[in-house]
Amino acid sequence: MDFIKLINGSRLYNFHSHTEFCDGHATMEAFAREVVARGFDHYGFSPHSPVPIESPCNMLLANVPRYLAEVERIRREHGASTRFYASMEVDYLGELSAPCDAVYQQLPLDYLIGSVHFIPSQQGRWVDIDGNFQGFRRKMAEHFHNDIRYVVERFYSQSRDMIDAGGFDIVGHFDKIGQNASYFCPGIEEEDWYQELVNGLIDRIIAHNACDAERPYTVEINTKAYAEHGGRLFPHPRHWQRLHEAGIPLIVNSDAHVPALVNASRDVALEMLRNVEKKCYICS
């Protein structure tokens, strides 16, 4: 899907949200009413995909037909002014689960988001490292021997493998590990080895888009943590100019889990992105 052509300059869109089918805190109906009331042009539902491991945050495989039916109902009842899309945020778990797997490719979805939330511990147990810092700190001790470099390197290793495997459209919050890693080890994102990992992942995204014109990646700027975590955006704004100069499409998603946050901090990020685009235009 060509998201840039689709939105065509519209600021009222969001392609990343979570409802009652996963770890969201409201029904799809409640989200639909909210975005229609706000005048959104485009809105995508993207529940966390079913996974073959224990997870309270992911939707159940048995609920997929009901989810798809609910999207169709919402399109019929609320789609006069807002276009609604069916998607999933697919967790990359290597051979266990990936966006490119047939189970996702065969579903009638408009697009897929590829994200990393779980990494294997040194003992091979899959652990969710995406939650709040209190939980992350506990998991660091219980599962990772407090080895933050191992966690960061595995996160980016899986992210690179996901990019290479393909089968999806939007790269979800691709440096999100930086938030908890920075709380655990302040200054870690400024270290050379960390920067090499991030830039190596960006290299993979650029290389993919240069080789696959039929299904290029769009990178989301994720605003979910902006208000609660000191202006934090994913990816970090320091990477936006490089992505834009390389021709990588950038869109701004709120990753909303409650209807009131469907547009949370998006205006701030959109203005920052506009300034990056303007700067690149002036310098070209």
Side-chain angles (χ1 to χ4, degrees), residues 155-157 159-161 163-164 171 173-175 194-210 217 219-220 234-250:
F155 176 88
Y156 283 108
S157 174
S159 299
R160 290 193 303 270
D161 290 346
I163 294 299
D164 291 346
V171 183
H173 46 61
F174 74 66
D175 67 345
Y194 188 100
Q195 287 298 310
E196 288 176 6
L197 291 173
V198 180
N199 285 315
L201 181 58
I202 295 174
D203 289 341
R204 285 297 225 287
I205 295 170
I206 294 171
H208 170 89
N209 281 19
Y217 293 135
V219 168
E220 74 164 4
F234 308 111
H236 194 288
R238 75 180 72 180
H239 305 300
W240 298 4
Q241 183 169 339
R242 184 183 175 206
L243 288 162
H244 180 70
E245 288 177 345
I248 305 301
L250 300 172

Side-chain angles (χ1 to χ4, degrees), residues 16-257:
H16 192 160
S17 66
H18 300 284
T19 67
E20 82 271 26
F21 282 93
C22 55
D23 62 344
H25 303 296
T27 64
M28 289 172 62
E29 173 69 17
F31 277 85
R33 290 178 180 273
E34 182 73 19
V35 298
V36 168
R38 292 186 184 219
F40 268 62
D41 299 306
H42 305 277
Y43 198 79
F45 298 106
S46 56
H48 292 289
S49 65
V51 289
I53 59 175
E54 184 178 347
S55 170
C57 296
N58 291 70
M59 76 182 303
L60 299 176
L61 184 61
N63 287 339
V64 172
R66 187 163 62 88
Y67 159 65
L68 294 172
E70 183 66 356
V71 175
E72 289 302 318
R73 184 193 67 79
I74 285 173
R75 284 171 173 163
R76 291 193 304 270
E77 297 186 11
H78 300 289
S81 58
T82 303
R83 290 184 63 181
F84 291 95
Y85 303 85
S87 175
M88 284 187 188
E89 183 179 15
V90 182
D91 279 290
Y92 183 80
L93 301 172
E95 294 181 357
L96 289 180
S97 180
C100 61
D101 290 350
V103 64
Y104 304 116
Q105 297 300 311
Q106 294 171 1
L107 289 172
L109 300 171
D110 297 300
Y111 62 93
L112 290 172
I113 302 173
S115 296
V116 172
H117 299 95
F118 299 84
I119 66 168
S121 69
Q122 291 94 328
Q123 292 73 40
R125 178 178 179 179
W126 289 92
V127 180
D128 183 356
I129 46 84
D130 188 62
N132 61 50
F133 179 63
Q134 290 74 23
F136 180 83
R137 182 167 53 188
R138 174 179 53 79
K139 292 171 185 176
M140 283 296 299
E142 291 181 0
H143 301 290
F144 299 110
H145 311 295
N146 285 322
D147 188 345
I148 189 62
R149 183 155 181 164
Y150 169 85
V151 170
V152 169
E153 288 179 342
R154 283 310 301 251
F155 176 88
Y156 283 108
S157 174
Q158 277 187 226
S159 299
R160 290 193 303 270
D161 290 346
M162 180 183 74
I163 294 299
D164 291 346
F168 63 100
D169 306 281
I170 297 176
V171 183
H173 46 61
F174 74 66
D175 67 345
K176 196 173 183 185
I177 188 61
Q179 178 175 302
N180 278 332
S182 292
Y183 291 150
F184 190 84
C185 182
I188 192 172
E189 290 180 279
E190 309 305 321
E191 296 183 17
D192 290 343
W193 67 271
Y194 188 100
Q195 287 298 310
E196 288 176 6
L197 291 173
V198 180
N199 285 315
L201 181 58
I202 295 174
D203 289 341
R204 285 297 225 287
I205 295 170
I206 294 171
H208 170 89
N209 281 19
C211 296
D212 190 348
E214 292 188 4
R215 198 168 188 178
Y217 293 135
T218 294
V219 168
E220 74 164 4
I221 296 170
N222 189 300
T223 66
K224 180 174 182 288
Y226 186 86
E228 296 180 0
H229 299 282
R232 182 83 207 204
L233 296 165
F234 308 111
H236 194 288
R238 75 180 72 180
H239 305 300
W240 298 4
Q241 183 169 339
R242 184 183 175 206
L243 288 162
H244 180 70
E245 288 177 345
I248 305 301
L250 300 172
I251 58 173
V252 179
N253 291 330
S254 74
D255 196 352
H257 286 59

